[in-house]
Amino acid sequence: MEGIIPAIITPFAQDEGLDENSLKNYLDFLKRNGIQTVFALGTTGEFNMLSMEEKEKFIKALRLSTNLKVIINVTENSTLNALKLAKLAVEVGADGIASLPPIYHKPSEKGIIGYFESLSKFGIPLYLYNYDGRAYIELDLVRRLVSEGIIDGVKLTTEKLPLLQRYLELKQEGNPFYVTIGNDELIYYAVMSGADGAISATANVAPELVLKLFKLLKEGNCKEALEAQRAVTMLTRAISDGDYPAGVKVALKYRGIYVGTVRKPLEEKMEQNSVIYATLKELNL
């Protein structure tokens, strides 16, 4: 789990059903622009809007649509359902799985460990998706999951630089452990501080721009990287306003990639659409 990994959207047709034809075209766009790995069924993928059957259908369609590496979020409130999705992910040849801690009911520490331990038995990398303020487990428990070899890394979504730094310090404790940032406004600071990359919403819309930022950082070109981060931040803010991830899908449409809109009750915001269009034009995208 390294480099720039788009947190991909889920394409919907006009009737809000899955649009498999749009999925392939969209993934081809990402591949043409240098993307090698995608993160599926996350927040940007509206996973919480999908039924179990739709998630299973999407996982199968995803693997048939591309030879990109795929990491699949199998988050469910029950271990039973998460294991069903994980098993299917392995069967279709996913390169890794990820999960938030259970979202609605709040299990004990023992229950959380058991949840992730069960998911770790499939023989492919397992990543914790830790979303500060929404679905989050404390660092001491993360440390235990790492030290016992249950998880291989974390996608950390946060606005707090001190919290990110504590996760990066965990990397220095001798355990092989990947840390990726899930906030596009912090890619510069995260990678400069030792993060392995980013799971990025903005990379859906402007993969070439976010990949350029990461390349400049790895080359040590801090001045140009900071300019690239400013451009990424501008676009991130434009697509994140309103009912997320509506702006991501609108921006893709303006780039010639139709993936439908978000599922109700989410909806597009017309004034946001004009901001997105203007931002893409300003960035020459």
Side-chain angles (χ1 to χ4, degrees):
M1 196 162 72
E2 300 175 274
I4 300 303
I5 303 173
I8 62 173
I9 56 84
T10 300
F12 293 130
Q14 286 188 340
D15 64 359
E16 297 193 10
L18 295 176
D19 187 345
E20 295 180 35
N21 292 329
S22 293
L23 176 63
K24 185 178 188 317
N25 184 46
Y26 157 58
L27 293 170
D28 287 346
F29 163 76
L30 294 178
K31 185 176 180 179
R32 285 196 308 272
N33 283 281
I35 294 301
Q36 298 179 1
T37 306
V38 296
F39 183 94
L41 294 178
T43 306
T44 309
E46 299 174 74
F47 79 95
N48 57 322
M49 298 286 191
L50 302 176
S51 69
M52 191 73 175
E53 293 72 23
E54 286 175 319
K55 290 176 185 177
E56 291 171 344
K57 182 179 178 181
F58 181 84
I59 290 169
K60 293 174 184 176
L62 174 65
R63 185 70 287 173
L64 289 172
S65 298
T66 186
N67 60 2
L68 290 170
K69 293 181 179 179
V70 297
I71 300 168
I72 297 174
N73 175 30
V74 298
T75 299
E76 288 287 335
N77 279 311
S78 74
T79 304
L80 178 66
N81 284 341
L83 289 174
K84 288 179 182 177
L85 293 178
K87 182 174 183 291
L88 178 58
V90 171
E91 288 173 352
V92 301
D95 300 277
I97 55 175
S99 183
L100 292 157
I103 296 172
Y104 186 75
H105 292 286
K106 300 299 180 184
S108 65
E109 184 173 299
K110 179 181 177 183
I112 292 173
I113 292 172
Y115 176 86
F116 283 100
E117 192 170 33
S118 296
L119 290 174
S120 73
K121 303 298 185 184
F122 286 96
I124 62 173
L126 170 63
Y127 305 106
L128 167 66
Y129 179 6
N130 226 9
Y131 198 145
D132 184 28
R134 290 197 183 183
Y136 182 78
I137 57 177
E138 296 298 330
L139 187 61
D140 286 343
L141 182 50
V142 176
R143 180 179 285 108
R144 183 172 171 186
L145 292 171
V146 173
S147 64
E148 294 184 10
I150 295 173
I151 62 172
D152 299 282
V154 63
K155 173 194 175 183
L156 177 65
T157 301
T158 185
E159 298 177 353
K160 302 171 185 172
L161 286 173
L163 181 61
L164 169 63
Q165 190 59 47
R166 291 180 68 195
Y167 277 82
L168 295 173
E169 290 168 2
L170 186 59
K171 281 174 62 72
Q172 299 167 6
E173 295 179 8
N175 301 298
F177 179 66
Y178 293 99
V179 175
T180 54
I181 187 66
N183 181 338
D184 287 343
E185 295 189 41
L186 297 184
I187 295 174
Y188 178 95
Y189 310 98
V191 175
M192 285 286 287
S193 300
D196 297 289
I199 295 180
S200 164
T202 308
N204 285 296
V205 176
E208 63 271 54
L209 176 60
V210 188
L211 286 167
K212 176 184 176 182
L213 167 58
F214 186 75
K215 181 174 182 288
L216 290 168
L217 286 166
K218 300 307 282 187
E219 292 172 348
N221 191 337
C222 299
K223 183 177 179 181
E224 288 190 35
L226 190 56
E227 288 301 312
Q229 177 65 73
R230 290 185 180 123
V232 169
T233 297
M234 183 189 309
L235 183 54
T236 298
R237 291 177 179 174
I239 64 176
S240 299
D241 191 24
D243 288 359
Y244 187 83
V248 180
K249 291 185 168 183
V250 168
L252 278 165
K253 178 178 67 175
Y254 289 150
R255 293 216 66 187
I257 308 298
Y258 182 76
V259 291
T261 187
V262 285
R263 271 192 173 171
K264 294 180 177 60
L266 303 178
E267 58 184 16
E268 293 181 15
K269 192 164 116 181
M270 294 309 297
E271 55 267 35
Q272 179 194 17
N273 294 2
S274 61
V275 172
I276 293 169
Y277 182 83
T279 302
L280 289 170
K281 188 172 182 180
E282 183 175 348
L283 296 173
N284 296 313
L285 293 169

